[in-house]
């Protein structure tokens, strides 16, 4: 294990999340030191332009978080694709023990819930069938690579 890099150590939630990951999954890259284990609850957080390079976000709750322009190079536990759909959204999937959890705009849910939501919103005859195809392709891609994060 290596020390937490300064750009991540500056985030108050990162060391406790790493301690939670150690308790939950075992081995880590970043040493959380004596931090008290706590899963990162980042609902609604604004990471616009944030440097999360190399962060391990496995299991983090990112519901409603703004990751627009965030630097995620080398980040683990998170995969994304986009922009897709009429809104030009980026779809994020965060690794969880039960499988990837998807985030897109205000949506958060499992792969099946994401597929159902996309299929309902972009139903046949809606005039937005191409957006449905784009979303479903992005979901399939992200789900496949998110499985490798577990």
């Amino acid at each position: 294990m290596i020390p937490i890099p300064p750009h991540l150590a500056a985030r108050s939630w990162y060391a406790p999340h790493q301690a939670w990951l150690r308790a939950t999954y075992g081995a880590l890259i970043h040493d959380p030191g004596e931090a008290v284990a706590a899963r990162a609850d980042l609902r609604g957080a604004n990471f616009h332009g944030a440097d999360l390079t190399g962060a391990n976000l496995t299991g983090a709750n990112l519901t409603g978080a703004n990751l627009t322009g965030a630097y995620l190079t080398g980040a683990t536990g998170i995969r994304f694709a986009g922009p897709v759909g009429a809104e030009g959204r980026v779809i994020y999937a965060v690794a969880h023990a039960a499988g990837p959890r998807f985030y897109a705009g205000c949506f958060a849910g499992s792969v099946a819930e994401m597929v159902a939501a996309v299929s309902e919103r972009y139903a046949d005859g809606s005039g937005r069938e191409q957006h449905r195809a784009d979303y479903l392709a992005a979901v399939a891609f992200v789900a496949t690579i998110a499985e490798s994060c577990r």
Side-chain angles (χ1 to χ4, degrees):
M1 256 188 290
I2 61 173
I4 296 174
H7 72 282
L8 295 173
R11 305 212 172 260
S12 63
W13 54 269
Y14 194 74
H17 186 67
Q18 297 312 291
W20 176 81
L21 286 171
R22 180 175 55 196
T24 305
Y25 296 103
L28 295 173
I29 294 173
H30 297 136
D31 183 358
E34 299 300 317
V36 176
R39 178 180 168 210
D41 184 353
L42 305 172
R43 287 179 283 191
N46 184 357
F47 291 113
H48 180 79
D51 183 359
L52 299 176
T53 303
N56 185 342
L57 299 172
T58 301
N61 183 347
L62 294 168
T63 303
N66 179 4
L67 293 165
T68 305
Y71 298 97
L72 295 166
T73 303
T76 59
I78 186 169
R79 297 294 186 258
F80 55 92
V84 295
E87 302 85 5
R89 292 198 197 289
V90 174
I91 298 171
Y92 298 91
V94 176
H96 286 263
R101 182 118 176 115
F102 279 79
Y103 301 91
C106 63
F107 173 85
S110 68
V111 174
E113 291 166 333
M114 180 74 179
V115 168
V118 166
S119 297
E120 180 180 323
R121 181 170 184 150
Y122 301 104
D124 286 337
S126 68
R128 302 180 342 166
E129 293 84 357
Q130 183 58 51
H131 296 304
R132 181 182 65 214
D134 293 347
Y135 261 110
L136 294 178
V139 168
F141 170 71
V142 172
T144 300
I145 62 173
E147 284 296 319
S148 69
C149 295
R150 294 173 65 189

